[in-house]
Coordinates of all heavy atoms in Angstrom, one line a residue:
M265 N -1.9 -15.5 -22.0 CA -0.7 -14.6 -22.2 C 0.0 -14.5 -20.8 O -0.7 -14.2 -19.8 CB -1.1 -13.3 -22.7 CG 0.0 -12.3 -22.9 SD -0.6 -11.0 -23.9 CE 0.0 -9.7 -22.9
Q266 N 1.3 -14.8 -20.8 CA 2.0 -14.7 -19.5 C 3.2 -13.8 -19.7 O 4.0 -14.0 -20.6 CB 2.4 -16.1 -19.1 CG 2.6 -16.1 -17.6 CD 2.3 -17.5 -17.0 OE1 2.4 -18.4 -17.7 NE2 1.9 -17.5 -15.8
L267 N 3.3 -12.8 -18.8 CA 4.4 -11.8 -19.0 C 5.6 -12.1 -18.0 O 6.7 -11.7 -18.2 CB 3.9 -10.4 -18.7 CG 2.9 -9.9 -19.6 CD1 2.4 -8.5 -19.1 CD2 3.4 -9.8 -21.0
G268 N 5.3 -13.0 -17.0 CA 6.4 -13.3 -16.1 C 6.6 -12.3 -15.0 O 7.6 -12.3 -14.4
Y269 N 5.6 -11.4 -14.8 CA 5.7 -10.4 -13.8 C 4.9 -10.8 -12.6 O 3.9 -11.5 -12.7 CB 5.3 -9.0 -14.3 CG 6.1 -8.4 -15.4 CD1 5.6 -8.1 -16.6 CD2 7.5 -8.2 -15.2 CE1 6.3 -7.5 -17.6 CE2 8.2 -7.7 -16.2 CZ 7.7 -7.4 -17.4 OH 8.4 -6.8 -18.4
S270 N 5.3 -10.3 -11.4 CA 4.6 -10.6 -10.2 C 4.0 -9.3 -9.7 O 4.5 -8.2 -9.9 CB 5.6 -11.1 -9.2 OG 5.0 -11.2 -7.9
N271 N 2.9 -9.5 -9.0 CA 2.2 -8.4 -8.4 C 2.6 -8.3 -6.9 O 1.8 -7.7 -6.1 CB 0.7 -8.4 -8.6 CG 0.1 -9.6 -7.9 OD1 0.8 -10.5 -7.5 ND2 -1.2 -9.6 -7.7
A272 N 3.7 -8.8 -6.5 CA 4.1 -8.9 -5.1 C 4.2 -7.5 -4.5 O 3.9 -7.3 -3.3 CB 5.4 -9.6 -5.0
R273 N 4.8 -6.5 -5.3 CA 4.9 -5.1 -4.7 C 3.5 -4.6 -4.4 O 3.4 -3.9 -3.3 CB 5.6 -4.2 -5.7 CG 7.0 -4.5 -5.9 CD 7.7 -3.6 -6.8 NE 9.0 -4.0 -7.2 CZ 9.7 -3.4 -8.1 NH1 9.2 -2.4 -8.8 NH2 10.9 -3.9 -8.4
L274 N 2.6 -4.7 -5.3 CA 1.3 -4.2 -5.0 C 0.6 -4.9 -3.9 O -0.1 -4.2 -3.0 CB 0.4 -4.3 -6.3 CG -0.9 -3.7 -6.3 CD1 -0.8 -2.2 -6.1 CD2 -1.6 -4.0 -7.6
E275 N 0.8 -6.2 -3.8 CA 0.2 -7.0 -2.7 C 0.8 -6.5 -1.3 O 0.1 -6.4 -0.3 CB 0.3 -8.4 -2.9 CG -0.5 -9.0 -4.0 CD -2.0 -8.9 -3.7 OE1 -2.4 -9.0 -2.5 OE2 -2.8 -8.7 -4.7
A276 N 2.1 -6.3 -1.3 CA 2.8 -5.9 -0.1 C 2.3 -4.5 0.3 O 2.0 -4.2 1.5 CB 4.3 -5.8 -0.3
F277 N 2.1 -3.6 -0.6 CA 1.6 -2.3 -0.3 C 0.1 -2.4 0.2 O -0.2 -1.7 1.2 CB 1.6 -1.4 -1.6 CG 1.2 0.0 -1.4 CD1 2.1 0.8 -0.8 CD2 0.0 0.5 -1.8 CE1 1.8 2.2 -0.6 CE2 -0.3 1.8 -1.7 CZ 0.6 2.7 -1.0
N278 N -0.7 -3.2 -0.4 CA -2.1 -3.4 0.1 C -2.1 -4.0 1.5 O -2.9 -3.5 2.3 CB -2.8 -4.3 -0.9 CG -4.3 -4.4 -0.6 OD1 -4.8 -3.5 -0.1 ND2 -4.9 -5.5 -0.9
N279 N -1.2 -4.9 1.8 CA -1.2 -5.5 3.1 C -0.7 -4.5 4.1 O -1.3 -4.5 5.2 CB -0.2 -6.7 3.1 CG -0.2 -7.5 4.4 OD1 -1.3 -7.6 5.0 ND2 0.9 -8.0 4.8
R280 N 0.2 -3.7 3.8 CA 0.7 -2.6 4.7 C -0.4 -1.7 5.1 O -0.6 -1.3 6.2 CB 1.9 -1.9 4.2 CG 2.4 -0.9 5.2 CD 3.7 -0.4 4.8 NE 4.7 -1.4 5.1 CZ 6.0 -1.0 5.4 NH1 6.4 0.2 5.3 NH2 6.8 -2.0 5.7
I281 N -1.2 -1.3 4.1 CA -2.4 -0.4 4.3 C -3.4 -1.1 5.2 O -3.9 -0.5 6.2 CB -3.0 0.0 3.0 CG1 -2.1 1.0 2.3 CG2 -4.4 0.7 3.2 CD1 -2.6 1.4 0.9
K282 N -3.7 -2.4 5.0 CA -4.6 -3.1 5.8 C -4.2 -3.2 7.2 O -5.0 -3.0 8.2 CB -4.9 -4.5 5.2 CG -5.7 -4.5 4.0 CD -5.9 -6.0 3.5 CE -6.8 -6.0 2.3 NZ -6.9 -7.4 1.8
V283 N -2.9 -3.5 7.5 CA -2.4 -3.5 8.8 C -2.5 -2.2 9.5 O -2.8 -2.1 10.7 CB -0.9 -4.0 8.8 CG1 -0.2 -3.9 10.1 CG2 -0.9 -5.5 8.4
T284 N -2.2 -1.1 8.8 CA -2.3 0.2 9.3 C -3.7 0.6 9.7 O -3.9 1.2 10.8 CB -1.7 1.3 8.3 OG1 -0.4 0.9 7.9 CG2 -1.7 2.6 8.9
I285 N -4.7 0.2 8.9 CA -6.1 0.4 9.2 C -6.4 -0.3 10.5 O -7.1 0.2 11.4 CB -7.0 0.0 8.1 CG1 -6.8 1.0 6.9 CG2 -8.4 0.0 8.5 CD1 -7.5 0.7 5.6
R286 N -6.0 -1.5 10.7 CA -6.2 -2.3 11.9 C -5.6 -1.6 13.1 O -6.1 -1.6 14.2 CB -5.7 -3.7 11.8 CG -6.8 -4.6 11.1 CD -6.3 -6.0 11.1 NE -5.4 -6.1 10.0 CZ -4.7 -7.1 9.6 NH1 -4.7 -8.2 10.4 NH2 -4.0 -7.2 8.6
M287 N -4.4 -1.0 12.9 CA -3.7 -0.3 14.0 C -4.5 1.0 14.4 O -4.4 1.3 15.6 CB -2.3 0.1 13.6 CG -1.3 -0.9 13.6 SD 0.3 -0.3 13.0 CE 0.5 1.2 13.8
A288 N -5.1 1.6 13.4 CA -5.8 2.9 13.7 C -7.2 2.7 14.2 O -7.9 3.7 14.2 CB -5.8 3.7 12.4
Y289 N -7.6 1.5 14.5 CA -9.0 1.3 15.0 C -9.2 2.2 16.2 O -8.4 2.2 17.2 CB -9.2 -0.1 15.4 CG -10.6 -0.4 15.9 CD1 -11.7 -0.4 15.0 CD2 -10.8 -0.6 17.3 CE1 -12.9 -0.6 15.5 CE2 -12.1 -0.8 17.7 CZ -13.1 -0.8 16.9 OH -14.4 -1.0 17.3
G290 N -10.2 3.0 16.2 CA -10.5 3.9 17.3 C -10.2 5.4 17.0 O -10.5 6.2 17.8
F291 N -9.6 5.6 15.9 CA -9.3 7.0 15.6 C -10.7 7.7 15.3 O -11.6 7.1 14.8 CB -8.5 7.1 14.3 CG -7.0 6.9 14.5 CD1 -6.5 6.5 15.7 CD2 -6.1 7.2 13.5 CE1 -5.1 6.3 15.9 CE2 -4.8 7.0 13.6 CZ -4.3 6.5 14.8
H292 N -10.8 8.9 15.8 CA -12.0 9.7 15.7 C -12.2 10.4 14.3 O -13.3 10.7 13.9 CB -12.2 10.7 16.8 CG -12.3 10.1 18.1 ND1 -13.4 9.4 18.6 CD2 -11.4 9.9 19.1 CE1 -13.2 8.9 19.8 NE2 -12.0 9.2 20.1
H293 N -11.1 10.7 13.7 CA -11.1 11.4 12.4 C -10.4 10.6 11.3 O -9.3 10.1 11.6 CB -10.5 12.8 12.5 CG -11.2 13.6 13.5 ND1 -12.4 14.2 13.3 CD2 -10.8 14.0 14.8 CE1 -12.8 14.9 14.4 NE2 -11.8 14.7 15.3
V294 N -10.9 10.6 10.1 CA -10.3 9.9 9.0 C -9.0 10.6 8.6 O -8.1 9.9 8.1 CB -11.3 9.9 7.8 CG1 -10.9 10.5 6.6 CG2 -11.7 8.4 7.6
D295 N -8.9 11.9 8.9 CA -7.7 12.6 8.5 C -6.5 12.0 9.3 O -5.4 11.9 8.7 CB -7.8 14.1 8.9 CG -8.8 14.8 8.0 OD1 -9.0 14.3 6.9 OD2 -9.3 15.8 8.5
N296 N -6.7 11.5 10.5 CA -5.6 10.9 11.3 C -5.2 9.6 10.7 O -4.0 9.2 10.6 CB -6.0 10.7 12.7 CG -6.3 12.0 13.4 OD1 -5.8 13.0 13.0 ND2 -7.1 12.0 14.5
L297 N -6.2 8.8 10.2 CA -5.9 7.5 9.5 C -5.1 7.8 8.2 O -4.1 7.1 8.0 CB -7.2 6.8 9.2 CG -7.0 5.5 8.3 CD1 -6.2 4.5 9.0 CD2 -8.4 5.0 8.0
I298 N -5.5 8.7 7.4 CA -4.8 9.0 6.2 C -3.4 9.5 6.5 O -2.4 9.1 5.8 CB -5.6 10.1 5.4 CG1 -6.9 9.5 4.9 CG2 -4.7 10.6 4.2 CD1 -7.8 10.4 4.3
A299 N -3.2 10.3 7.5 CA -1.8 10.7 7.9 C -1.0 9.6 8.3 O 0.2 9.5 8.0 CB -1.9 11.8 9.0
L300 N -1.5 8.6 9.1 CA -0.8 7.4 9.5 C -0.4 6.6 8.3 O 0.7 6.1 8.2 CB -1.6 6.6 10.5 CG -0.9 5.4 11.1 CD1 0.3 5.8 11.9 CD2 -1.9 4.6 12.0
I301 N -1.3 6.4 7.4 CA -1.0 5.6 6.2 C 0.1 6.3 5.4 O 1.1 5.6 4.9 CB -2.3 5.4 5.3 CG1 -3.2 4.4 6.0 CG2 -1.9 4.9 3.9 CD1 -4.5 4.3 5.3
M302 N 0.0 7.6 5.2 CA 1.1 8.3 4.5 C 2.4 8.2 5.2 O 3.5 8.1 4.6 CB 0.7 9.8 4.3 CG -0.5 10.0 3.4 SD -0.3 9.3 1.7 CE 0.8 10.5 1.0
L303 N 2.4 8.3 6.5 CA 3.6 8.2 7.3 C 4.3 6.8 7.1 O 5.5 6.7 6.9 CB 3.3 8.4 8.8 CG 4.5 8.4 9.7 CD1 5.4 9.6 9.4 CD2 4.0 8.5 11.1
R304 N 3.5 5.7 7.2 CA 4.0 4.4 7.1 C 4.3 4.0 5.7 O 5.2 3.1 5.5 CB 3.0 3.4 7.7 CG 2.8 3.5 9.2 CD 2.3 2.4 9.8 NE 3.2 1.2 9.6 CZ 2.8 0.0 9.7 NH1 1.5 -0.3 9.9 NH2 3.6 -1.0 9.5
C305 N 3.6 4.5 4.7 CA 3.8 4.0 3.3 C 4.3 5.1 2.4 O 4.3 4.8 1.2 CB 2.4 3.5 2.8 SG 1.7 2.2 3.7
G306 N 4.7 6.2 2.9 CA 5.1 7.3 2.0 C 6.4 7.0 1.2 O 6.5 7.5 0.1
G307 N 7.3 6.2 1.7 CA 8.5 5.9 1.1 C 8.5 4.7 0.1 O 9.5 4.4 -0.5
L308 N 7.3 4.1 0.0 CA 7.3 2.9 -0.8 C 7.2 3.2 -2.3 O 6.4 4.2 -2.7 CB 6.1 2.0 -0.4 CG 6.1 1.4 0.9 CD1 4.8 0.6 1.2 CD2 7.3 0.4 1.0
D309 N 7.8 2.5 -3.1 CA 7.8 2.7 -4.6 C 7.0 1.5 -5.1 O 7.5 0.4 -5.1 CB 9.2 2.7 -5.2 CG 9.2 3.0 -6.6 OD1 8.2 3.5 -7.1 OD2 10.2 2.6 -7.3
I310 N 5.8 1.7 -5.6 CA 5.0 0.6 -6.0 C 4.9 0.5 -7.5 O 4.1 -0.2 -8.1 CB 3.6 0.7 -5.5 CG1 2.9 2.0 -5.9 CG2 3.6 0.6 -4.0 CD1 1.4 2.0 -5.7
R311 N 5.8 1.2 -8.3 CA 5.7 1.0 -9.7 C 6.0 -0.4 -10.1 O 7.0 -1.0 -9.7 CB 6.8 2.0 -10.4 CG 6.3 3.4 -10.4 CD 7.3 4.3 -11.1 NE 8.3 4.6 -10.1 CZ 9.6 4.6 -10.4 NH1 10.1 4.3 -11.5 NH2 10.5 4.8 -9.4
L312 N 5.2 -0.9 -11.0 CA 5.4 -2.3 -11.5 C 6.4 -2.2 -12.7 O 6.5 -1.2 -13.4 CB 4.1 -2.9 -11.9 CG 3.1 -3.1 -10.8 CD1 1.8 -3.6 -11.3 CD2 3.6 -4.1 -9.7
P313 N 7.1 -3.3 -12.9 CA 8.1 -3.3 -14.0 C 7.3 -3.2 -15.3 O 6.3 -3.8 -15.5 CB 8.8 -4.6 -13.9 CG 8.0 -5.5 -13.0 CD 7.2 -4.5 -12.1
Q314 N 7.9 -2.5 -16.2 CA 7.3 -2.3 -17.6 C 8.1 -3.2 -18.6 O 9.3 -3.3 -18.5 CB 7.4 -0.8 -18.0 CG 6.7 0.1 -17.1 CD 5.2 -0.1 -17.2 OE1 4.6 -0.4 -18.2 NE2 4.5 0.0 -16.0
P315 N 7.3 -3.8 -19.5 CA 8.0 -4.7 -20.5 C 8.8 -3.8 -21.4 O 8.4 -2.7 -21.8 CB 6.9 -5.4 -21.2 CG 5.7 -4.6 -20.9 CD 5.9 -3.9 -19.6
T316 N 10.0 -4.2 -21.8 CA 10.8 -3.5 -22.7 C 10.5 -3.9 -24.1 O 10.2 -5.0 -24.4 CB 12.3 -3.8 -22.4 OG1 12.5 -5.1 -22.5 CG2 12.7 -3.2 -21.1
I317 N 10.6 -2.9 -25.0 CA 10.2 -3.2 -26.4 C 11.5 -3.4 -27.2 O 12.5 -2.8 -27.1 CB 9.4 -2.0 -27.0 CG1 8.1 -1.9 -26.2 CG2 9.1 -2.2 -28.4 CD1 7.2 -0.7 -26.6

């Protein structure tokens, strides 16, 4: 079954989180890492397209 949808948005979001984690290497508290991820990725809309009926 093929819907013709791409998971590019989700992959881009995942990549941005991975890059942010690499940037945050050396943080002493996980709260700082979570705050940095929310700051960098807070405005992203990752909703995938829904098929119309």
Side-chain angles (χ1 to χ4, degrees):
M265 182 166 128
Q266 205 151 24
L267 297 175
Y269 294 124
S270 171
N271 65 343
R273 290 182 189 172
L274 187 60
E275 289 295 327
F277 187 72
N278 188 28
N279 187 36
R280 185 169 278 207
I281 289 176
K282 285 181 181 180
V283 168
T284 303
I285 289 172
R286 277 184 275 173
M287 281 177 47
Y289 180 74
F291 280 8
H292 295 287
H293 300 286
V294 123
D295 295 333
N296 296 338
L297 171 63
I298 293 170
L300 183 62
I301 290 173
M302 294 302 287
L303 183 65
R304 292 199 63 203
C305 301
L308 292 178
D309 183 20
I310 61 165
R311 283 183 279 136
L312 296 174
Q314 298 295 320
T316 56
I317 297 175

